[in-house]
Amino acid sequence: MEKNFLQNFSLEGKVALVTGASYGIGFGIATAFARCGAKIVFNDIRQELVDKGLAAYKEEGIEAHGYVCDVTNEDAVNAMVAQIEKEVGVIDILVNNAGIIKRIPMCEMSAAEFRQVIDVDLNAPFIVSKAVIPGMIKKGHGKIINICSMMSELGRETVSAYAAAKGGLKMLTRNICSEYGEYNIQCNGIGPGYIATPQTAPLRERQPDGSRHPFDSFIVAKTPAARWGTPEDLQGPAVFLASDASDFVNGQVLYVDGGILAYIGKQPK
């Protein structure tokens, strides 16, 4: 008997590692995976962040497994993946979510600051993917989702390192697809638009006179949906890319941006 079509979207029994998922986008995606039956594993860079994440998952009724790990440290990542395989199971789904941004004009940014952003936002997805791919090959399947960005396609002042990293992550996504597609491993990206998270909170702060932050007004005007996105807006696309429903989708970046990339913007009055 054929399985119910909706079972294609089930993650029942799958082990999902979402990096940096104590809060924000990663937490939202991991929560959706758990609701679809996955076992959730996450990491963060400090124990207090891991503890905060574990408490947040517990509040949602989710039994998550948290690990302290710096995703830019290859030895630490390899040790964490080995520990996850031993304690939870071989990883079926990886979401490379951990990331940082430094909003500094390029000529004021030091090379060390530039390298730090590249290290977390591009080198780390390479390191973590490399650690989980052998297990996926042995299992005969795997899903890797890289959290890209509209900055994989667009530039903007003050984000040279972030845009360079996210553009590189788009191409890493395509290359993982190219190298490992034959092993039934799908590697795709999600490119969020402007999402309301703690990371973007400074851009939405009300001005002393009660008016909107200029950047907040700018983004709402540039978005056909006329609002910021929420972590919940990323849940459906993430579940799709993690599930059997996307088995022939590979090397793509799905932009969840409320239409920004399709839109030239309003003519000034």
Side-chain angles (χ1 to χ4, degrees), residues 15-191:
V15 176
L17 168 60
V18 186
T19 65
S22 298
Y23 61 92
I25 287 172
F27 180 81
I29 287 173
T31 300
F33 286 176
R35 301 268 186 266
C36 293
K39 295 176 188 170
I40 301 305
V41 179
F42 74 99
N43 81 292
D44 221 312
I45 199 161
R46 295 193 308 276
Q47 186 65 54
E48 60 264 34
L49 290 171
V50 171
D51 291 342
K52 192 177 168 186
L54 287 170
Y57 286 108
K58 194 174 180 184
E59 206 172 293
E60 293 288 329
I62 296 164
E63 186 191 338
H65 305 263
Y67 297 84
V68 178
C69 181
D70 176 355
V71 286
T72 67
N73 181 326
E74 187 167 17
D75 290 340
V77 167
N78 289 338
M80 177 182 70
V81 168
Q83 197 178 350
I84 291 166
E85 289 182 355
K86 190 178 168 187
E87 295 176 358
V88 187
V90 176
I91 294 160
D92 300 282
I93 301 158
L94 166 65
V95 182
N96 283 309
N97 166 76
I100 60 169
I101 188 167
K102 290 182 182 290
R103 296 183 181 93
I104 305 170
M106 182 174 158
C107 287
E108 295 170 24
M109 187 176 224
S110 69
E113 288 169 325
F114 187 92
R115 286 191 193 102
Q116 188 192 2
V117 175
I118 299 293
D119 210 20
V120 177
D121 293 358
L122 180 57
N123 292 343
F126 164 77
I127 289 167
V128 185
S129 298
K130 192 158 87 82
V132 304
I133 285 170
M136 292 177 170
I137 290 172
K138 280 183 197 164
K139 266 197 156 181
H141 68 88
K143 302 281 185 175
I144 298 173
I145 301 170
N146 292 324
I147 302 300
C148 295
S149 167
M150 287 189 307
M151 299 299 118
S152 302
E153 299 289 341
L154 299 172
R156 192 171 73 75
E157 63 279 4
T158 79
V159 294
S160 57
Y162 185 78
K166 293 299 187 178
L169 187 57
K170 174 180 73 174
M171 292 312 301
L172 179 63
T173 300
R174 291 178 177 173
N175 215 79
I176 291 171
C177 155
S178 302
E179 284 200 60
Y180 298 104
E182 67 181 289
Y183 299 102
N184 193 27
I185 293 170
Q186 290 83 48
C187 181
N188 293 289
I190 290 178

